[in-house]
Amino acid sequence: MTNYYQELIERIARYIEEGSYEAASALIEEELKLPYVPMDTYDRLIGFREQIRGYLSRQPQARFLSSREVLDGLKQGGEKAYRVIMFLNKVNIREYLDEIQEYLLSDDTDRMIVSVLFDLCHKQEVNTMLQYCDNGTWIKVRPAQLQDVSDNEIFRNSMELLSERFENENPSFAELCRQVLAEYAYLKYPEQLDKSAQVLVSEAVRYVYEAYGDKAGWQRYCRQYGVDEKAIGELF
């Protein structure tokens, strides 16, 4: 997870250096929408936002995208998808629901793009039923009826439990676990978290310990909190 944030900052800095201010802005705004961003990363993102604000104000408004350009951009992913998402965030997204639905029904969707699209539709209170596939299961959802990503009792309880167990003893470890849980919650959206806070926290803790190759640390955690290792699944 640490590498994720390092790469994010480096990518935004590269866009700014190249003069690709809209691409940098899209990355910044999408990251700031996530339910949790580490404080140091948050400060850097706000700094980048202030840095490019003047450049963006001198640039012409983002041009109108046709329905075909919206669909093609989403399918191409990467920077093109981020540009489309930034455009959709500024317009009436209802005018592009056919293209969004077509993307959601395609075979090669990016799960994070799916989450962001539902988040945008939810924020604009779209009441049209949209269908998407999650792990082979087709699901229909009305975005207006969804909760915000972080407006979930299990998510809040998980964050509180992490603080209780690690904040005083190892705050940097607690932050890594929060990053893992936040990414997991966003990648599941529009589905809500359905595991208990106890299970989610243990899965996040194991994920971080395994990422560092610290098997002894994981075993200590299991003993300290009475965790049945065989009952804990994989977070990702």
Side-chain angles (χ1 to χ4, degrees), residues 19 68 76 95 115 133-134 144 146 150 160 170 172 214:
R68 175 50 57 185
Q76 289 176 48
E95 298 179 6
S115 298
C133 185
D134 188 75
L146 295 171
S150 59
E160 291 174 3
N170 194 342
S172 61
D214 188 357

Side-chain angles (χ1 to χ4, degrees), residues 2-221:
T2 302
N3 289 339
Y4 166 78
Y5 289 105
Q6 290 174 345
E7 291 171 3
L8 173 72
I9 295 301
E10 290 171 1
R11 187 177 181 190
I12 293 172
R14 186 167 62 252
Y15 279 147
I16 293 174
E17 183 178 353
E18 295 170 352
S20 301
Y21 303 118
E22 289 188 358
S25 179
L27 279 177
I28 293 166
E29 298 308 321
E30 289 308 314
E31 192 66 28
L32 289 174
K33 289 177 184 177
L34 293 177
Y36 175 78
V37 180
M39 185 56 66
D40 58 342
T41 301
Y42 178 85
D43 290 341
R44 291 295 302 279
L45 293 176
I46 296 300
F48 281 140
R49 178 197 269 174
E50 293 299 318
Q51 179 182 347
I52 66 176
R53 179 170 293 174
Y55 295 106
L56 290 173
S57 65
R58 293 194 293 270
Q59 288 186 330
Q61 293 294 317
R63 71 180 185 85
F64 176 82
L65 297 181
S66 68
S67 299
R68 175 50 57 185
E69 287 173 319
V70 167
L71 180 59
D72 288 346
L74 291 174
K75 288 185 175 181
Q76 289 176 48
E79 181 182 343
K80 293 186 181 297
Y82 277 112
R83 290 181 183 274
V84 170
I85 288 167
M86 184 173 64
F87 171 76
L88 292 175
N89 190 42
K90 296 178 180 178
V91 300
N92 183 351
I93 204 169
R94 292 169 181 80
E95 298 179 6
Y96 298 91
L97 292 183
D98 288 343
E99 289 69 40
I100 290 173
Q101 181 61 92
E102 184 172 344
Y103 174 76
L104 294 175
L105 294 175
S106 59
D107 295 330
D108 55 350
T109 56
D110 182 300
R111 191 61 179 83
M112 183 58 79
I113 294 176
V114 170
S115 298
V116 172
L117 289 173
F118 272 105
D119 189 32
L120 291 178
C121 288
H122 167 67
K123 285 180 170 57
Q124 293 197 28
E125 299 183 348
V126 171
N127 201 39
T128 302
M129 190 78 74
L130 294 176
Q131 187 176 24
Y132 73 105
C133 185
D134 188 75
N135 292 322
T137 301
W138 287 99
I139 304 171
K140 292 183 177 181
V141 175
R142 293 188 189 277
Q145 298 177 358
L146 295 171
Q147 293 178 308
D148 289 337
V149 177
S150 59
D151 186 18
N152 181 286
E153 185 176 2
I154 297 174
F155 181 84
R156 292 193 298 270
N157 290 343
S158 297
M159 292 299 186
E160 291 174 3
L161 187 57
L162 275 171
S163 295
E164 291 174 9
R165 294 184 174 179
F166 295 103
E167 195 63 46
N168 293 329
E169 177 184 345
N170 194 342
S172 61
F173 186 88
E175 181 166 308
L176 285 172
C177 291
R178 290 192 195 99
Q179 293 172 21
V180 169
L181 278 178
E183 182 178 3
Y184 175 77
Y186 209 89
L187 282 172
K188 280 188 66 65
Y189 197 74
E191 295 177 62
Q192 294 296 320
L193 300 175
D194 54 4
K195 301 177 183 178
S196 71
Q198 295 276 352
V199 170
L200 280 175
V201 166
S202 292
E203 289 180 349
V205 167
R206 182 166 74 173
Y207 183 90
V208 175
Y209 273 132
E210 288 182 347
Y212 282 95
D214 188 357
K215 294 182 179 179
W218 167 242
Q219 294 300 325
R220 286 196 304 271
Y221 174 85

